[in-house]
Amino acid sequence: MRTAPGVGSEEARAWRPAEIEEPTNRWFIHRLSWVVARWCARWGVHPNTVSLLGLACGIGAAVAYGSGNNGWTCAVGFLCMVLWHVFDGADGQLARLTGKASEWGKVMDGLCDHGTFLSIYAALVFSLAPSLGIGVVLLGVLAGLSHFVQATAYERQRQLYEYVVLGKPTVQAQVERVPVVFRGLYRLYLAVQQSLSGERQVLLAVSSGGSFPEGLRHGYRQLFRPLVHAWSALSSNYRTLALFGACCLEAPELFFWWELIGLNGVLVGLVFWTRCRQQQWLRFTQAAELPTSFAVRKCVPLE
């Protein structure tokens, strides 16, 4: 098995940092994505094209899962979702590898990702309505909204970690680089991220400090690396497995309930845990001398 990408290699430029990569992506999905990304780079395929191919696979999964709960439709749906994951990883790798990363590309990737799950939720609602009635429409809408909130919050925690610890140039979105027709939706996406991330005081501490002390980067890494990994419980990988399991049980509605109760419960717990760690880290930024150890302490409100 290949080890982690080496410094200065194409992989190091194209892959997400290993310390925040979700394990199933790191060791399976994104290895397949890398094969696709390198092939696309060789043939001049644009990253947005790869995003659209992923959306096509997601729609294929929606058709399969919405066609019934036969064993073969579940298998086809799962296979299409795995392909979607591969293309979803490949578009970002390709953009970073070829220097084509852009604000619009990020929005395009998000639209295709959410479009995939929107298609799946709509297909499940359509297939379940005859047996469960009109109430399943509300259930599907609430599950879809929950997914939107959970996914955007998870992504923001990774972005903040890259900014504070790994020196990513900026976390500020450049809305003006997005086509006008999508700017309202993009602003909504950003507002949801920022409201759940608790980032305002963190970013103020970074910007007000001028040069950012290495000790605080180290402290942020100690406090938030476990959290970033915990946030990956809200990643699409585990939704794919939950969806497949619910359909194999011939009860796709269980997937909606898992979104509403299970994953929203996880979200609430992660937000509280994040706020506690942010409070501890902000105290360190205000200290006259930086501590050598950032052991976890009891969460108490900031004064």
Side-chain angles (χ1 to χ4, degrees):
M1 179 177 289
R2 187 176 60 179
T3 59
V7 176
S9 66
E10 286 186 337
E11 290 96 330
R13 186 168 74 251
W15 286 47
R16 279 191 177 274
E19 65 185 88
I20 62 169
E21 186 73 287
E22 196 281 325
T24 60
N25 279 335
R26 187 72 185 167
W27 302 111
F28 177 60
I29 295 293
H30 286 177
R31 294 183 180 277
L32 299 177
S33 300
W34 183 233
V35 175
V36 174
R38 286 188 299 177
W39 185 90
C40 291
R42 186 178 303 119
W43 291 98
V45 179
H46 196 278
N48 288 350
T49 302
V50 180
S51 297
L52 290 172
L53 288 172
L55 176 60
C57 292
I59 293 173
V63 172
Y65 281 128
S67 298
N69 297 315
N70 301 314
W72 70 271
T73 59
C74 292
V76 170
F78 182 72
L79 176 61
C80 286
M81 284 302 292
V82 170
L83 290 174
W84 169 72
H85 282 288
V86 171
F87 284 120
D88 184 47
D91 59 5
Q93 290 177 343
L94 178 62
R96 292 185 288 270
L97 177 64
T98 59
K100 294 180 179 178
S102 67
E103 199 74 19
W104 168 236
K106 184 167 66 173
V107 174
M108 182 76 169
D109 179 44
L111 288 172
C112 290
D113 292 352
H114 289 295
T116 288
F117 279 94
L118 177 62
S119 300
I120 289 172
Y121 293 169
L124 292 181
V125 166
F126 183 80
S127 67
L128 290 169
S131 58
L132 298 183
I134 195 65
V136 77
V137 177
L138 178 61
L139 184 62
V141 169
L142 292 176
L145 291 174
S146 297
H147 175 203
F148 174 76
V149 172
Q150 296 156 10
T152 53
Y154 161 56
E155 182 60 28
R156 191 60 173 178
Q157 291 302 321
R158 295 201 299 179
Q159 292 170 356
L160 288 171
Y161 189 94
E162 288 181 297
Y163 177 61
V164 176
V165 176
L166 304 175
K168 185 178 179 178
T170 182
V171 289
Q172 300 302 323
Q174 298 171 311
V175 181
E176 69 280 358
R177 296 191 177 185
V178 175
V180 175
V181 68
F182 293 107
R183 287 181 187 174
L185 183 61
Y186 191 34
R187 287 192 176 97
L188 173 63
Y189 172 83
L190 295 172
V192 172
Q193 280 192 325
Q194 293 164 9
S195 66
L196 290 172
S197 67
E199 66 188 55
R200 186 178 65 85
Q201 288 180 302
V202 171
L203 295 180
L204 282 174
V206 172
S207 61
S208 64
S211 59
F212 196 49
E214 183 59 33
L216 290 183
R217 293 185 188 274
H218 173 68
Y220 197 96
R221 174 181 270 121
Q222 274 193 276
L223 290 172
F224 287 90
R225 186 173 178 177
L227 254 177
V228 172
H229 286 291
W231 274 95
S232 68
L234 300 179
S235 73
S236 297
N237 300 41
Y238 302 108
R239 276 189 187 82
T240 294
L241 293 173
L243 174 63
F244 178 61
C247 289
C248 287
L249 291 173
E250 299 186 3
E253 66 275 12
L254 292 178
F255 175 68
F256 289 155
W257 287 114
W258 172 239
E259 279 276 12
L260 285 172
I261 299 176
L263 293 184
N264 278 334
V266 171
L267 175 65
V268 170
L270 287 171
V271 168
F272 178 77
W273 188 11
T274 300
R275 295 290 196 278
C276 289
R277 292 295 174 91
Q278 286 171 341
Q279 290 169 11
Q280 184 177 357
W281 185 76
L282 287 169
R283 285 191 176 84
F284 293 146
T285 69
Q286 299 162 4
E289 296 182 3
L290 297 179
T292 57
S293 174
F294 286 79
V296 176
R297 299 174 183 174
K298 182 179 179 181
C299 177
V300 294
L302 281 172
E303 297 179 357

